[in-house]
Each structure stands twice: as structure tokens, then as C-alpha cells.
Amino acid sequence: MPLVHLLRLLGVFLLQLLCLLLVPLLHLLLFCLVSLLCHLLMFLLLLLLELLQVLLLLRLQLLLLLLVFLIHS
């Protein structure tokens, strides 16, 4: 009987050790997910800035085209 109790205590010890090891791994996973989310948001922001530049350039080209038509008239 004492051997069974010793094995159960060893099992509890190993389970607690596993839980202690899982905590830093979960923190690392959370950090990676937050970092990935930040990178994704930054990428989307850069895409929006690129789109804004294209729209601004198109607006300027339209203005120049209207000026050319105004001069040729």
C-alpha cells in the first residue's frame, strides 16, 4: 500500500510541475498572439495609407486634367 501512495504523490508532483511549465508557455503564446495582432493591424494601416496616396494622386491628376481642358478651351 505505501508504494501506491508514493506513486500517487509522484503523480501529483508531476502534474503540478507540468502546470508550472504550462504557465510560461501560455504567457508566451499570448505574447505571440498579441504581437501577431499588432503586426496585422500595422499591415492594414500601411495598406490604408497606400490607398490614401493613390486616391490623392488620382485626385491631383483629375485636377490637372481639368486644368488642361480649361486651357485648351
Side-chain angles (χ1 to χ4, degrees):
M1 284 283 246
L3 183 61
V4 173
H5 290 295
L6 186 61
L7 288 176
R8 283 186 182 173
L9 284 176
L10 182 62
V12 168
F13 172 72
L14 290 176
L15 186 62
Q16 287 180 348
L17 184 63
L18 180 64
C19 289
L20 286 175
L21 290 174
L22 281 177
V23 169
L25 289 176
L26 288 175
H27 282 287
L28 184 63
L29 179 64
L30 180 65
F31 176 73
C32 289
L33 288 176
V34 168
S35 176
L36 180 65
L37 183 63
C38 287
H39 282 89
L40 181 64
L41 287 174
M42 185 172 49
F43 179 71
L44 289 175
L45 182 66
L46 288 174
L47 280 178
L48 286 174
L49 286 174
E50 288 291 327
L51 180 65
L52 183 65
Q53 287 179 353
V54 168
L55 290 176
L56 183 65
L57 286 175
L58 286 176
R59 192 183 77 187
L60 289 174
Q61 284 183 351
L62 180 64
L63 180 69
L64 289 173
L65 185 64
L66 289 175
L67 286 175
V68 168
F69 284 144
L70 186 70
I71 291 173
H72 280 294
S73 303

Coordinates of all heavy atoms in Angstrom, one line a residue:
M1 N 0.8 -1.2 0.0 CA 0.0 0.0 0.0 C 0.8 1.3 0.0 O 0.5 2.2 -0.7 CB -0.9 0.0 1.2 CG -2.1 -0.9 1.1 SD -3.3 -0.2 0.0 CE -4.6 0.0 1.1
P2 N 2.0 1.3 0.7 CA 2.7 2.6 0.7 C 3.3 2.9 -0.7 O 3.4 4.0 -1.0 CB 3.9 2.3 1.7 CG 3.5 1.1 2.5 CD 2.5 0.4 1.7
L3 N 3.5 1.9 -1.5 CA 4.0 2.1 -2.8 C 3.0 2.8 -3.7 O 3.3 3.7 -4.5 CB 4.5 0.8 -3.4 CG 5.1 0.9 -4.8 CD1 6.4 1.7 -4.8 CD2 5.4 -0.5 -5.4
V4 N 1.7 2.4 -3.5 CA 0.6 3.1 -4.2 C 0.5 4.5 -3.8 O 0.4 5.4 -4.7 CB -0.7 2.3 -4.0 CG1 -1.9 3.1 -4.6 CG2 -0.6 0.9 -4.5
H5 N 0.7 4.8 -2.5 CA 0.6 6.2 -2.1 C 1.8 7.0 -2.6 O 1.6 8.2 -3.0 CB 0.6 6.3 -0.6 CG -0.7 5.8 0.0 ND1 -1.9 6.4 -0.2 CD2 -0.9 4.7 0.8 CE1 -2.9 5.7 0.5 NE2 -2.3 4.7 1.1
L6 N 2.9 6.4 -2.7 CA 4.1 7.1 -3.2 C 4.0 7.4 -4.7 O 4.3 8.5 -5.1 CB 5.4 6.2 -2.9 CG 6.7 6.8 -3.3 CD1 7.0 8.0 -2.5 CD2 7.8 5.8 -3.1
L7 N 3.4 6.4 -5.4 CA 3.1 6.7 -6.8 C 2.1 7.8 -7.0 O 2.2 8.6 -8.0 CB 2.7 5.4 -7.5 CG 3.8 4.3 -7.7 CD1 3.2 3.0 -8.3 CD2 4.9 4.8 -8.6
R8 N 1.1 7.8 -6.2 CA 0.1 8.9 -6.3 C 0.7 10.2 -6.0 O 0.5 11.2 -6.7 CB -1.1 8.6 -5.4 CG -2.0 7.6 -5.9 CD -3.2 7.5 -5.0 NE -4.1 6.4 -5.5 CZ -5.2 6.0 -4.8 NH1 -5.5 6.5 -3.7 NH2 -5.9 5.1 -5.3
L9 N 1.6 10.3 -5.0 CA 2.3 11.5 -4.6 C 3.2 12.0 -5.8 O 3.3 13.1 -6.1 CB 3.1 11.4 -3.3 CG 2.2 11.4 -2.1 CD1 3.1 11.2 -0.9 CD2 1.5 12.8 -1.9
L10 N 3.9 11.0 -6.4 CA 4.7 11.3 -7.5 C 3.9 11.8 -8.7 O 4.3 12.8 -9.4 CB 5.5 10.1 -7.9 CG 6.5 10.2 -9.1 CD1 7.6 11.2 -8.7 CD2 7.1 8.9 -9.5
G11 N 2.7 11.2 -8.9 CA 1.8 11.7 -10.0 C 1.3 13.1 -9.7 O 1.3 14.0 -10.6
V12 N 1.0 13.5 -8.5 CA 0.6 14.8 -8.1 C 1.8 15.8 -8.3 O 1.6 16.9 -8.9 CB 0.1 14.9 -6.6 CG1 -0.1 16.3 -6.2 CG2 -1.2 14.1 -6.5
F13 N 3.0 15.4 -7.9 CA 4.1 16.2 -8.1 C 4.4 16.5 -9.6 O 4.6 17.7 -10.0 CB 5.4 15.6 -7.5 CG 6.6 16.3 -7.8 CD1 6.9 17.5 -7.2 CD2 7.5 15.8 -8.7 CE1 8.1 18.2 -7.5 CE2 8.7 16.4 -9.0 CZ 9.0 17.6 -8.4
L14 N 4.3 15.5 -10.4 CA 4.5 15.6 -11.9 C 3.4 16.5 -12.5 O 3.7 17.3 -13.4 CB 4.6 14.3 -12.6 CG 5.8 13.5 -12.2 CD1 5.7 12.1 -12.9 CD2 7.1 14.2 -12.7
L15 N 2.2 16.4 -12.0 CA 1.1 17.2 -12.5 C 1.3 18.6 -12.2 O 1.1 19.5 -13.0 CB -0.3 16.7 -12.0 CG -1.5 17.3 -12.5 CD1 -1.6 17.1 -14.0 CD2 -2.7 16.8 -11.8
Q16 N 1.7 18.9 -11.0 CA 2.0 20.3 -10.6 C 3.2 20.9 -11.3 O 3.1 22.0 -11.7 CB 2.2 20.4 -9.1 CG 1.0 20.2 -8.2 CD 1.3 20.3 -6.7 OE1 2.4 20.2 -6.3 NE2 0.2 20.4 -6.0
L17 N 4.2 20.1 -11.6 CA 5.3 20.5 -12.4 C 4.9 20.8 -13.8 O 5.3 21.8 -14.4 CB 6.4 19.5 -12.3 CG 7.7 19.8 -13.0 CD1 8.4 21.0 -12.4 CD2 8.6 18.6 -13.0
L18 N 4.0 20.0 -14.3 CA 3.5 20.3 -15.7 C 2.7 21.6 -15.7 O 2.8 22.4 -16.7 CB 2.6 19.1 -16.2 CG 2.0 19.2 -17.5 CD1 3.1 19.2 -18.6 CD2 1.1 18.1 -17.8
C19 N 1.9 21.8 -14.7 CA 1.1 23.0 -14.7 C 2.0 24.3 -14.6 O 1.8 25.3 -15.2 CB 0.1 23.0 -13.5 SG -1.2 21.9 -13.7
L20 N 3.1 24.1 -13.8 CA 4.0 25.2 -13.6 C 4.8 25.5 -14.9 O 5.1 26.6 -15.3 CB 5.1 25.0 -12.5 CG 4.5 25.1 -11.1 CD1 5.6 24.7 -10.1 CD2 4.1 26.5 -10.8
L21 N 5.0 24.5 -15.7 CA 5.7 24.6 -17.0 C 4.7 25.2 -18.1 O 5.1 25.9 -19.0 CB 6.2 23.3 -17.5 CG 7.4 22.8 -16.7 CD1 7.8 21.4 -17.2 CD2 8.6 23.8 -16.9
L22 N 3.4 24.9 -17.9 CA 2.4 25.4 -18.9 C 2.2 26.9 -18.7 O 1.9 27.6 -19.7 CB 1.1 24.7 -18.7 CG 1.1 23.3 -19.4 CD1 -0.3 22.6 -19.1 CD2 1.3 23.3 -20.8
V23 N 2.3 27.5 -17.6 CA 2.1 28.9 -17.3 C 3.0 29.8 -18.2 O 2.5 30.6 -18.9 CB 2.2 29.2 -15.8 CG1 2.1 30.7 -15.6 CG2 1.0 28.6 -15.1
P24 N 4.3 29.6 -18.2 CA 5.1 30.4 -19.1 C 4.9 30.1 -20.6 O 4.9 31.1 -21.4 CB 6.6 30.0 -18.8 CG 6.5 29.3 -17.5 CD 5.1 28.7 -17.3
L25 N 4.5 28.9 -20.9 CA 4.2 28.6 -22.3 C 2.9 29.4 -22.7 O 2.8 29.9 -23.8 CB 4.0 27.1 -22.5 CG 5.3 26.3 -22.5 CD1 5.0 24.8 -22.6 CD2 6.3 26.8 -23.5
L26 N 1.9 29.4 -21.8 CA 0.7 30.2 -22.2 C 1.0 31.7 -22.3 O 0.4 32.3 -23.1 CB -0.4 29.8 -21.1 CG -1.0 28.4 -21.2 CD1 -1.9 28.2 -20.1 CD2 -1.6 28.2 -22.5
H27 N 1.8 32.2 -21.4 CA 2.2 33.6 -21.5 C 2.9 33.9 -22.8 O 2.7 34.9 -23.4 CB 3.1 34.0 -20.3 CG 2.3 34.2 -19.0 ND1 1.5 35.3 -18.8 CD2 2.2 33.4 -17.9 CE1 0.9 35.2 -17.6 NE2 1.4 34.1 -17.0
L28 N 3.8 33.0 -23.2 CA 4.5 33.1 -24.5 C 3.5 33.1 -25.6 O 3.6 33.9 -26.6 CB 5.6 32.1 -24.6 CG 6.5 32.1 -25.8 CD1 7.3 33.4 -25.8 CD2 7.4 30.9 -25.8
L29 N 2.6 32.2 -25.6 CA 1.6 32.1 -26.6 C 0.7 33.4 -26.7 O 0.5 33.9 -27.8 CB 0.7 30.9 -26.4 CG -0.4 30.6 -27.4 CD1 0.1 30.3 -28.8 CD2 -1.4 29.5 -26.9
L30 N 0.3 33.9 -25.6 CA -0.4 35.1 -25.5 C 0.4 36.3 -26.1 O -0.1 37.1 -26.9 CB -0.9 35.4 -24.1 CG -1.7 36.7 -23.9 CD1 -3.0 36.6 -24.6 CD2 -1.9 37.0 -22.4
F31 N 1.7 36.3 -25.7 CA 2.5 37.4 -26.3 C 2.6 37.3 -27.8 O 2.6 38.3 -28.5 CB 3.9 37.3 -25.6 CG 4.9 38.3 -26.2 CD1 4.8 39.6 -25.9 CD2 5.9 37.9 -27.0 CE1 5.7 40.5 -26.4 CE2 6.8 38.8 -27.5 CZ 6.7 40.1 -27.2
C32 N 2.8 36.1 -28.3 CA 2.9 35.9 -29.8 C 1.6 36.3 -30.5 O 1.6 36.9 -31.5 CB 3.2 34.4 -30.1 SG 4.9 34.0 -29.6
L33 N 0.4 35.9 -29.9 CA -0.8 36.3 -30.5 C -1.0 37.8 -30.5 O -1.5 38.4 -31.5 CB -2.0 35.6 -29.7 CG -2.1 34.1 -29.9 CD1 -3.3 33.6 -29.1 CD2 -2.4 33.8 -31.4
V34 N -0.7 38.5 -29.4 CA -0.8 39.9 -29.3 C 0.2 40.6 -30.3 O -0.2 41.5 -31.1 CB -0.5 40.4 -27.9 CG1 -0.3 41.9 -27.9 CG2 -1.7 40.0 -27.0
S35 N 1.4 40.0 -30.4 CA 2.4 40.5 -31.4 C 1.9 40.4 -32.8 O 2.0 41.3 -33.6 CB 3.7 39.8 -31.2 OG 4.6 40.2 -32.1
L36 N 1.3 39.2 -33.1 CA 0.8 38.9 -34.4 C -0.4 39.9 -34.7 O -0.5 40.4 -35.9 CB 0.3 37.5 -34.5 CG -0.3 37.0 -35.8 CD1 0.8 37.1 -36.9 CD2 -0.9 35.6 -35.7
L37 N -1.3 40.1 -33.8 CA -2.4 41.1 -34.0 C -1.9 42.5 -34.2 O -2.4 43.2 -35.1 CB -3.3 41.0 -32.7 CG -4.5 41.9 -32.8 CD1 -5.4 41.4 -34.0 CD2 -5.3 41.9 -31.5
C38 N -0.8 42.9 -33.5 CA -0.2 44.2 -33.7 C 0.4 44.3 -35.1 O 0.2 45.3 -35.8 CB 0.8 44.5 -32.7 SG 0.1 44.8 -31.1
H39 N 1.0 43.3 -35.6 CA 1.6 43.3 -36.9 C 0.5 43.3 -38.0 O 0.7 44.0 -39.0 CB 2.5 42.0 -37.1 CG 3.8 42.2 -36.5 ND1 4.1 41.8 -35.2 CD2 5.0 42.7 -36.9 CE1 5.3 42.0 -34.9 NE2 5.9 42.5 -35.9
L40 N -0.5 42.6 -37.7 CA -1.6 42.6 -38.7 C -2.3 44.0 -38.8 O -2.6 44.5 -39.9 CB -2.7 41.5 -38.3 CG -3.9 41.4 -39.2 CD1 -3.4 40.9 -40.6 CD2 -4.9 40.4 -38.7
L41 N -2.5 44.6 -37.6 CA -3.1 46.0 -37.6 C -2.1 47.0 -38.3 O -2.6 47.9 -39.0 CB -3.4 46.4 -36.2 CG -4.6 45.7 -35.6 CD1 -4.7 46.1 -34.1 CD2 -5.9 46.0 -36.3
M42 N -0.8 46.8 -38.1 CA 0.1 47.7 -38.7 C 0.1 47.5 -40.2 O 0.2 48.5 -41.0 CB 1.5 47.5 -38.2 CG 2.5 48.4 -38.7 SD 4.1 48.3 -37.9 CE 4.5 46.6 -37.9
F43 N 0.0 46.3 -40.7 CA 0.0 46.0 -42.1 C -1.3 46.6 -42.7 O -1.3 47.2 -43.8 CB 0.0 44.5 -42.3 CG -0.1 44.1 -43.7 CD1 1.0 44.3 -44.6 CD2 -1.3 43.5 -44.2 CE1 0.9 43.9 -45.9 CE2 -1.3 43.1 -45.6 CZ -0.3 43.3 -46.4
L44 N -2.4 46.5 -42.0 CA -3.7 47.1 -42.6 C -3.6 48.6 -42.6 O -4.1 49.2 -43.5 CB -4.9 46.6 -41.7 CG -5.3 45.2 -41.8 CD1 -6.4 44.8 -40.9 CD2 -5.7 44.9 -43.3
L45 N -3.0 49.2 -41.6 CA -2.8 50.6 -41.6 C -1.9 51.1 -42.7 O -2.2 52.1 -43.4 CB -2.2 51.1 -40.3 CG -2.0 52.6 -40.1 CD1 -3.3 53.3 -40.1 CD2 -1.2 52.8 -38.8
L46 N -0.9 50.3 -43.0 CA 0.0 50.7 -44.1 C -0.7 50.5 -45.5 O -0.5 51.3 -46.4 CB 1.3 49.8 -44.1 CG 2.3 50.1 -43.0 CD1 3.4 49.1 -43.0 CD2 2.8 51.5 -43.2
L47 N -1.6 49.5 -45.6 CA -2.4 49.4 -46.8 C -3.3 50.5 -47.0 O -3.5 51.1 -48.1 CB -3.1 48.1 -46.8 CG -2.4 46.8 -47.2 CD1 -3.2 45.6 -47.0 CD2 -1.8 46.9 -48.6
L48 N -3.9 51.0 -45.9 CA -4.8 52.1 -46.0 C -4.1 53.4 -46.4 O -4.6 54.2 -47.1 CB -5.6 52.3 -44.7 CG -6.7 51.3 -44.4 CD1 -7.2 51.5 -43.0 CD2 -7.8 51.4 -45.4
L49 N -2.9 53.6 -45.8 CA -2.1 54.7 -46.2 C -1.7 54.7 -47.7 O -1.7 55.7 -48.4 CB -0.8 54.8 -45.3 CG -1.1 55.3 -43.9 CD1 0.2 55.2 -43.1 CD2 -1.6 56.7 -43.8
E50 N -1.4 53.5 -48.2 CA -1.1 53.4 -49.6 C -2.3 53.7 -50.5 O -2.2 54.4 -51.5 CB -0.6 52.0 -49.9 CG 0.8 51.6 -49.4 CD 1.8 52.4 -50.2 OE1 1.6 52.6 -51.4 OE2 2.8 52.7 -49.6
L51 N -3.5 53.3 -50.0 CA -4.7 53.6 -50.7 C -5.0 55.1 -50.7 O -5.4 55.7 -51.7 CB -5.9 52.8 -50.1 CG -7.2 53.0 -50.8 CD1 -7.2 52.5 -52.2 CD2 -8.3 52.3 -50.0
L52 N -4.7 55.7 -49.6 CA -4.9 57.1 -49.5 C -4.0 57.9 -50.4 O -4.4 58.8 -51.0 CB -4.7 57.5 -48.0 CG -4.9 59.0 -47.7 CD1 -6.4 59.3 -47.9 CD2 -4.4 59.3 -46.3
Q53 N -2.8 57.4 -50.6 CA -1.8 58.1 -51.5 C -2.3 57.9 -52.9 O -2.3 58.9 -53.7 CB -0.5 57.4 -51.4 CG 0.3 57.8 -50.2 CD 1.6 57.2 -50.1 OE1 2.0 56.3 -50.9 NE2 2.4 57.5 -49.1
V54 N -2.8 56.8 -53.3 CA -3.3 56.5 -54.6 C -4.5 57.4 -54.9 O -4.6 58.1 -56.0 CB -3.7 55.0 -54.8 CG1 -4.5 54.8 -56.1 CG2 -2.4 54.2 -54.8
L55 N -5.4 57.5 -53.9 CA -6.6 58.4 -54.1 C -6.2 59.8 -54.2 O -6.8 60.6 -55.0 CB -7.6 58.2 -53.0 CG -8.3 56.8 -52.9 CD1 -9.2 56.7 -51.7 CD2 -9.1 56.6 -54.2
L56 N -5.2 60.2 -53.5 CA -4.7 61.6 -53.5 C -4.1 61.9 -54.9 O -4.3 62.9 -55.5 CB -3.7 61.9 -52.4 CG -3.2 63.3 -52.3 CD1 -4.3 64.3 -51.9 CD2 -2.1 63.4 -51.3
L57 N -3.3 61.0 -55.4 CA -2.7 61.1 -56.7 C -3.7 61.2 -57.8 O -3.6 62.0 -58.7 CB -1.7 60.0 -57.0 CG -0.4 60.1 -56.2 CD1 0.5 58.9 -56.5 CD2 0.4 61.4 -56.6
L58 N -4.8 60.3 -57.7 CA -5.8 60.4 -58.7 C -6.6 61.7 -58.7 O -6.9 62.2 -59.7 CB -6.8 59.2 -58.5 CG -6.3 57.8 -58.8 CD1 -7.3 56.7 -58.5 CD2 -5.9 57.7 -60.3
R59 N -6.8 62.2 -57.5 CA -7.5 63.5 -57.4 C -6.6 64.6 -58.0 O -7.1 65.5 -58.7 CB -7.8 63.8 -55.9 CG -8.7 65.0 -55.7 CD -8.9 65.3 -54.3 NE -7.7 66.0 -53.9 CZ -7.5 66.3 -52.6 NH1 -8.4 66.0 -51.7 NH2 -6.5 67.0 -52.3
L60 N -5.3 64.6 -57.8 CA -4.4 65.6 -58.4 C -4.4 65.4 -59.9 O -4.4 66.4 -60.6 CB -3.0 65.5 -57.8 CG -2.9 65.9 -56.3 CD1 -1.5 65.6 -55.8 CD2 -3.2 67.4 -56.2
Q61 N -4.4 64.2 -60.4 CA -4.4 64.0 -61.8 C -5.7 64.5 -62.4 O -5.7 65.1 -63.5 CB -4.1 62.5 -62.1 CG -2.7 62.1 -61.9 CD -2.5 60.7 -62.3 OE1 -3.4 59.9 -62.6 NE2 -1.2 60.3 -62.4
L62 N -6.8 64.3 -61.8 CA -8.0 64.7 -62.3 C -8.1 66.3 -62.3 O -8.5 66.9 -63.3 CB -9.2 64.2 -61.4 CG -10.6 64.6 -61.8 CD1 -10.9 64.1 -63.1 CD2 -11.6 64.2 -60.7
L63 N -7.5 66.9 -61.3 CA -7.4 68.3 -61.3 C -6.5 68.9 -62.4 O -6.9 69.8 -63.1 CB -6.9 68.8 -59.9 CG -6.7 70.3 -59.7 CD1 -8.1 71.0 -59.7 CD2 -5.9 70.6 -58.5
L64 N -5.4 68.2 -62.6 CA -4.6 68.6 -63.7 C -5.2 68.4 -65.1 O -5.1 69.2 -66.0 CB -3.2 67.8 -63.7 CG -2.3 68.2 -62.6 CD1 -1.1 67.3 -62.5 CD2 -1.8 69.6 -62.7
L65 N -6.0 67.3 -65.2 CA -6.7 67.1 -66.5 C -7.8 68.1 -66.7 O -7.9 68.6 -67.8 CB -7.3 65.7 -66.4 CG -8.0 65.2 -67.7 CD1 -7.0 65.0 -68.8 CD2 -8.7 63.9 -67.4
L66 N -8.4 68.5 -65.6 CA -9.4 69.6 -65.8 C -8.8 70.9 -66.2 O -9.3 71.7 -67.0 CB -10.2 69.8 -64.5 CG -11.2 68.6 -64.2 CD1 -11.8 68.8 -62.8 CD2 -12.3 68.5 -65.2
L67 N -7.6 71.2 -65.6 CA -6.9 72.4 -66.0 C -6.4 72.4 -67.4 O -6.5 73.4 -68.1 CB -5.7 72.6 -65.1 CG -6.0 73.0 -63.6 CD1 -4.7 73.0 -62.8 CD2 -6.6 74.4 -63.6
V68 N -6.0 71.2 -67.9 CA -5.6 71.1 -69.3 C -6.8 71.3 -70.2 O -6.7 72.0 -71.2 CB -5.0 69.7 -69.6 CG1 -4.9 69.4 -71.1 CG2 -3.6 69.6 -68.9
F69 N -8.0 70.8 -69.9 CA -9.2 71.0 -70.6 C -9.6 72.5 -70.6 O -10.0 73.0 -71.6 CB -10.3 70.1 -70.2 CG -10.2 68.7 -70.6 CD1 -10.7 67.7 -69.7 CD2 -9.7 68.3 -71.8 CE1 -10.6 66.4 -70.1 CE2 -9.7 67.0 -72.2 CZ -10.1 66.0 -71.3
L70 N -9.4 73.1 -69.5 CA -9.7 74.5 -69.3 C -8.8 75.4 -70.2 O -9.3 76.3 -70.8 CB -9.6 74.9 -67.9 CG -10.1 76.3 -67.5 CD1 -11.6 76.4 -67.7 CD2 -9.6 76.7 -66.1
I71 N -7.5 75.0 -70.3 CA -6.6 75.8 -71.1 C -6.8 75.6 -72.6 O -6.8 76.5 -73.4 CB -5.1 75.4 -70.7 CG1 -4.8 75.9 -69.3 CG2 -4.1 75.9 -71.7 CD1 -3.5 75.4 -68.8
H72 N -7.2 74.4 -73.0 CA -7.4 74.1 -74.4 C -8.8 74.7 -74.9 O -8.9 74.8 -76.1 CB -7.4 72.6 -74.6 CG -6.0 72.0 -74.8 ND1 -5.2 72.3 -75.8 CD2 -5.4 71.2 -74.0 CE1 -4.0 71.7 -75.6 NE2 -4.1 71.0 -74.5
S73 N -9.6 75.0 -74.0 CA -10.9 75.6 -74.4 C -10.8 77.0 -74.9 O -10.2 77.8 -74.7 CB -11.9 75.5 -73.3 OG -12.1 74.3 -72.7

